[in-house]
């Protein structure tokens, strides 16, 4: 089985722009979660989608949003980028409530 | 309050020796799960081992074992016979019962294996 894939792997944007990151889960997995990893704040949960519905949301501003499609692929969007949004964004998929399998991440740099 | 605490920011271990990475957690839920992940410099998080709060036996997966002490709220990872490829960041994480698949992570421990 193919693992979790994330695109793009690297991204450079400027302040004020918006960005969309994509995650394709392992085939058959219906839950997709997103995490932000920074040196200062560590790993923080952004949101989880299950069968196209947001099931949980972390403590992030409304500039961070996401969605899930019927094929379980997920996208997250960050609008009006700030310097502090520079981070590794990790996507994880899971069949149900079990271990989560992570993708390689998208490294976003905001200049 | 921190839900997951990893008190060792960095550790060294000699190749072929065993090492214990500490993790303490805080939750009022009776049902929860504890996970350990490895993150090499490439950035990908690799699942290592899982322990459920109702599991009576400590979890083991190959060279990894989890020393689960529920009353002390600790879930330490033991790596036996360390290898050079074990050098990485290690994260302890918890999933609480009513939190879907949301994981709360500790700050991580950087393990360095010396040849």
């Amino acid at each position: 089985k193919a693992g979790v894939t994330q695109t793009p792997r690297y991204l450079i944007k400027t302040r004020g722009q918006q960005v969309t990151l994509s995650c394709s889960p392992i085939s058959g997995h219906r839950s997709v979660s997103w995490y932000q990893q920074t040196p200062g704040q560590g790993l923080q949960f952004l949101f989880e989608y299950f069968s196209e519905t947001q099931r949980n949301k972390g403590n992030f501003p409304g500039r961070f949003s996401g969605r899930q499609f019927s094929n379980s692929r997920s996208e997250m969007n960050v609008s009006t980028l700030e310097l502090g949004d520079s981070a590794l964004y990790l996507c994880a998929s899971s069949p149900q409530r079990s271990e989560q399998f992570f993708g390689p991440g998208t490294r976003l740099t905001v200049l | 309050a921190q839900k997951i605490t990893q008190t060792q920011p960095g550790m060294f271990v000699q190749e072929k020796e065993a090492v214990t990475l500490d993790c303490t957690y805080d939750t009022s839920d009776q049902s929860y799960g504890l996970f350990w992940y490895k993150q090499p410099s490439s950035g990908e998080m690799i699942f290592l081992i899982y322990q459920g709060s109702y599991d009576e036996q400590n979890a083991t997966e190959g060279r990894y074992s989890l020393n689960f002490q529920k009353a002390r709220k600790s879930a330490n990872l033991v790596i036996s016979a360390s290898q050079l490829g074990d050098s990485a960041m290690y994260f302890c994480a918890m999933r609480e019962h009513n939190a879907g698949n949301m994981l709360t992570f500790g700050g991580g421990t950087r393990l360095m294996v010396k040849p």
Side-chain angles (χ1 to χ4, degrees):
Chain A
K1 259 188 183 177
V4 178
T5 58
Q6 290 186 246
T7 56
R9 293 292 313 278
Y10 301 91
L11 205 49
I12 300 175
K13 291 286 188 178
T14 56
R15 277 181 300 175
Q17 286 187 311
Q18 73 158 13
V19 67
T20 299
L21 311 182
S22 180
C23 171
S24 293
I26 293 170
S27 177
H29 287 192
R30 294 164 63 192
S31 167
V32 173
S33 299
W34 289 89
Y35 295 84
Q36 181 198 64
Q37 186 176 26
T38 60
Q41 298 298 317
L43 278 152
Q44 294 185 284
F45 172 79
L46 279 155
F47 27 64
E48 179 200 0
Y49 286 87
F50 184 85
S51 294
E52 302 178 66
T53 301
Q54 189 179 85
R55 184 155 73 173
N56 258 309
K57 190 177 190 308
N59 190 23
F60 277 83
R63 300 185 297 108
F64 292 81
S65 63
R67 59 177 175 168
Q68 187 180 33
F69 302 95
S70 58
N71 61 357
S72 292
R73 191 177 71 85
S74 177
E75 289 181 348
M76 68 162 280
N77 183 276
V78 189
S79 63
T80 318
L81 283 166
E82 301 176 359
L83 295 179
D85 298 333
S86 293
L88 179 67
Y89 289 89
L90 291 161
C91 164
S93 79
S94 173
Q96 284 278 1
R97 281 176 55 82
S98 63
E99 64 264 27
Q100 293 183 50
F101 299 90
F102 283 79
T106 294
R107 190 165 295 281
L108 171 66
T109 302
V110 182
L111 301 176
Chain B
Q2 292 275 8
K3 287 205 168 187
I4 300 284
T5 302
Q6 295 181 251
T7 57
Q8 307 150 311
M11 286 191 71
F12 282 96
V13 64
Q14 200 68 40
E15 193 179 8
K16 299 180 186 172
E17 291 186 350
V19 63
T20 298
L21 307 184
D22 295 342
C23 172
T24 57
Y25 60 92
D26 184 28
T27 180
S28 55
D29 280 4
Q30 296 300 308
S31 176
Y32 52 88
L34 296 156
F35 301 77
W36 277 92
Y37 284 87
K38 171 185 177 181
Q39 187 178 42
S41 55
S42 60
E44 185 167 353
M45 299 286 281
I46 301 167
F47 167 75
L48 296 178
I49 198 166
Y50 167 79
Q51 180 85 40
S53 59
Y54 291 116
D55 294 341
E56 295 188 355
Q57 303 280 350
N58 284 343
T60 60
E61 289 284 350
R63 295 187 298 112
Y64 304 107
S65 60
L66 201 152
N67 183 1
F68 181 46
Q69 297 187 48
K70 195 170 180 177
R72 297 182 60 189
K73 292 191 173 177
S74 76
N76 299 338
L77 177 70
V78 180
I79 305 175
S80 64
S82 297
Q83 302 172 356
L84 296 179
D86 293 336
S87 294
M89 284 292 291
Y90 288 80
F91 291 95
C92 178
M94 176 172 64
R95 182 184 64 213
E96 293 171 292
H97 178 68
N98 293 319
N101 269 325
M102 181 179 81
L103 293 176
T104 303
F105 285 89
T109 295
R110 180 172 298 281
L111 177 67
M112 291 152 282
V113 181
K114 296 187 290 185

